[in-house]
Amino acid sequence: MAVIGCGLFLAATAPAALAHDSLKSSSPPKGATVSGVQTIELEYSSRVRFPLVVLRTAAGKTIQLGEPQADGPKVRTAVPSRLAGGPYVIAWRVVSSDGHPIEGEIPFTVKGAAGTTASATEAAPAAPATSAEGTRPAAAAQDGGGIPGWLWGGLAALVVVGLAIWLLSRRTGGPDEPAGQPEAPAQPAGQPDAPAEAAGQPDGPIGRT
């Protein structure tokens, strides 16, 4: 009778001893739609070791997470960056209390960012039009009405040089006349050209008597 009872006890406890640990709950829950995720928390049926947690988008892009920390049957992982709207998948892997590795996936969805993305896309085309309108007055001011500023400066320089040459030629009296030669003074009217010698004055001295 004791043998039969021992056999029945072993038959009842054998499946439980052979069963591995399992995931009891998660945050975010499987298939849930959430507004955001700051921490991923996984709870198992027993103590687990060597946790590995990976977060991927629907396109397969991996999101950077903090180092997973195991605390008895719970595993926590921080999500440093804000998640955009869309579907995600949490892939996890741990070593259960019986030494066997177990793994699984938890899909969920982040809401709220899809509308924001659409609004940003609609507002984006308006920016180039505003920039183009603001650029037109600046370009017109830079053109200076079609004539560059350097051309005006060159014309002014030519006018100054020509004026200086004209003034210099006026002062020197022209190229054929020697510069700096004084003019002969005019002869006063009615004045004889040379003093006349006294009439009848002898050329030589007159002897005294």
Side-chain angles (χ1 to χ4, degrees):
M1 190 70 180
V3 175
I4 296 175
C6 183
L8 292 175
F9 175 77
L10 293 175
T13 56
L18 294 176
H20 301 316
D21 299 330
S22 60
L23 180 67
K24 292 176 58 177
S25 62
S26 66
S27 177
K30 185 176 183 179
T33 299
V34 296
S35 58
V37 179
Q38 296 180 348
T39 304
I40 297 174
E41 183 173 339
L42 308 174
E43 184 176 3
Y44 299 88
S45 59
S46 184
R47 182 183 182 89
V48 294
R49 299 174 296 164
F50 309 113
L52 176 64
V53 181
V54 178
L55 179 61
R56 297 192 302 266
T57 63
K61 180 182 178 181
T62 302
I63 306 298
Q64 184 178 2
L65 300 176
E67 188 71 19
Q69 303 293 330
D71 183 13
K74 293 184 178 181
V75 174
R76 294 183 178 89
T77 305
V79 183
S81 58
R82 184 177 181 180
L83 300 180
Y88 293 86
V89 175
I90 301 172
W92 57 267
R93 180 184 175 89
V94 296
V95 176
S96 62
S97 58
D98 61 359
H100 290 82
I102 57 176
E103 59 185 13
E105 292 185 347
I106 304 172
F108 69 96
T109 303
V110 175
K111 65 178 180 179
T116 304
T117 304
S119 300
T121 305
E122 293 175 0
T130 304
S131 300
E133 292 177 359
T135 306
R136 289 174 185 173
Q142 186 177 3
D143 290 343
I147 301 178
W150 63 265
L151 184 56
W152 285 111
L155 292 175
L158 290 177
V159 171
V160 171
V161 172
L163 182 60
I165 294 174
W166 180 77
L167 290 176
L168 183 60
S169 64
R170 292 275 301 195
R171 289 180 180 179
T172 57
D176 296 334
E177 183 178 352
Q181 183 175 357
E183 297 180 359
Q187 186 72 23
Q191 184 177 356
D193 293 339
E197 295 182 356
Q201 184 177 356
D203 295 337
I206 301 175
R208 291 180 180 267
T209 59

